[in-house]
Amino acid sequence: MHSLNLYSKIEPYLNFQDEIEELYDAFLKICEELKVKKAIDIGCGQGEFLLQLQEMGIETFGTDLSSEQVKVCKSKKLNVECIDIENVTDKFDCATAIFDVLNYMDKKTLEKFVQNTYNLLVSEGYFIFDINTLYGFEDVADGSLNINLEDKFIAIDAVFSEKILTTNIVLFSSEDNGKYTKEEDFITQHFHEKNAVKKLLDKCGFEVKQIINFHLHSEEKPDKLIFICQK
């Protein structure tokens, strides 16, 4: 099983809903200010942000590399496909990538991704995304979490070392016969330094309009940066 498919199984139990909504609200406000009409949400998950964009009257399309997440989106009648963005032929005036999407990529993959995103946009189209700060990785993400439910046990262990966060996930699920099945996988996330991302965006043809310091999990320091870029 792909690690993001396993993550999609445990995501509803992680109690991140308030944080996710807070981040979505920030992105929706930006989309409203930019008068977005047609948007692609890359790494759209279960489509909650797409639904909120549609409520604003914005035409939407979503992609996700998790077939499980796409299945959920399609059950909500959303226009979503399980494809790489380099295979998307339509054009948009805005592309969004929310909640760590870029942190799942290493440096080489990220460069290709940014170039492919640039190609998706009409002239003067916007690319809006967030990345985790070093504080977000070292002080917020690093650590362990156990969730003990009636029919499930979830163990998450995240270690940040040498600019990479490795999150090990173990899910035990009870079966009808009283036995438990075990699923195990890991997710890798990469720290991308702000100036390196700015240089990459510039190289691919984007102009960085604004970088917002965002306090999602902590009031002490920003744990995320939101980039607003224009083609």
Side-chain angles (χ1 to χ4, degrees):
M1 176 182 284
H2 193 283
S3 56
L4 289 177
N5 277 343
L6 181 55
Y7 181 78
S8 73
K9 282 188 174 186
I10 68 161
E11 190 178 23
Y13 307 103
L14 297 181
N15 292 328
F16 284 157
Q17 201 52 42
D18 288 347
E19 287 92 342
I20 292 168
E21 284 301 325
E22 195 180 330
L23 197 56
Y24 284 175
D25 285 347
F27 274 73
L28 289 166
K29 188 180 173 190
I30 294 165
C31 288
E32 190 175 21
E33 286 170 358
L34 298 177
K35 296 181 169 57
V36 172
K37 291 183 173 61
K38 185 178 179 182
I40 177 170
D41 187 31
I42 305 164
C44 64
Q46 300 189 355
E48 290 305 316
F49 185 68
L50 288 171
L51 288 170
Q52 292 183 45
L53 285 174
Q54 286 185 357
E55 284 174 16
M56 289 169 58
I58 295 169
E59 187 184 339
T60 64
F61 177 68
T63 67
D64 202 285
L65 296 179
S66 165
S67 56
E68 293 296 321
Q69 301 280 50
V70 169
K71 215 180 285 180
V72 174
C73 288
K74 285 186 179 293
S75 73
K76 297 174 182 176
K77 305 288 190 286
L78 287 165
N79 185 16
V80 174
E81 296 297 334
C82 185
I83 53 171
D84 192 291
I85 58 166
E86 68 179 342
N87 298 317
V88 177
T89 54
D90 207 353
K91 298 286 182 189
F92 306 86
D93 63 351
C94 182
T96 56
I98 308 175
F99 213 65
D100 305 353
V101 169
L102 274 72
N103 290 116
Y104 286 111
M105 304 172 199
D106 60 23
K107 196 175 174 183
K108 188 179 175 184
T109 308
L110 183 61
E111 182 164 350
K112 188 181 176 191
F113 173 82
V114 172
Q115 193 61 65
N116 285 335
T117 303
Y118 183 89
N119 295 338
L120 286 172
L121 296 171
V122 297
S123 177
E124 299 186 352
Y126 289 94
F127 178 28
I128 316 162
F129 63 88
D130 65 85
I131 55 171
N132 290 315
T133 63
L134 192 59
Y135 175 78
F137 274 125
E138 288 182 333
D139 293 78
V140 178
D142 191 288
S144 298
L145 174 68
N146 291 331
I147 302 168
N148 201 350
L149 304 164
E150 196 176 325
D151 60 343
K152 287 179 184 64
F153 178 76
I154 302 163
I156 300 165
D157 186 38
V159 178
F160 184 68
S161 175
E162 296 181 3
K163 298 188 177 178
I164 294 175
L165 182 79
T166 304
T167 304
N168 290 293
I169 302 169
V170 181
L171 169 64
F172 291 96
S173 306
S174 67
E175 301 294 307
D176 292 338
N177 59 11
K179 292 181 178 178
Y180 278 79
T181 56
K182 179 185 179 185
E183 295 171 82
E184 191 170 4
D185 216 327
F186 67 91
I187 293 171
T188 304
Q189 287 180 276
H190 302 262
F191 169 66
H192 299 300
E193 201 270 326
K194 180 168 79 171
N195 286 334
V197 175
K198 282 170 72 177
K199 278 182 187 172
L200 172 57
L201 289 160
D202 183 60
K203 180 183 174 183
C204 293
F206 281 109
E207 180 187 348
V208 178
K209 291 292 192 181
Q210 192 180 359
I211 301 173
I212 302 165
N213 287 323
F214 201 74
H215 297 256
L216 190 62
H217 299 279
S218 164
E219 290 303 314
E220 192 179 339
K221 293 180 186 174
D223 45 36
K224 280 191 174 294
L225 301 173
I226 298 177
F227 280 70
I228 304 172
C229 318
Q230 190 173 25
K231 180 170 176 175

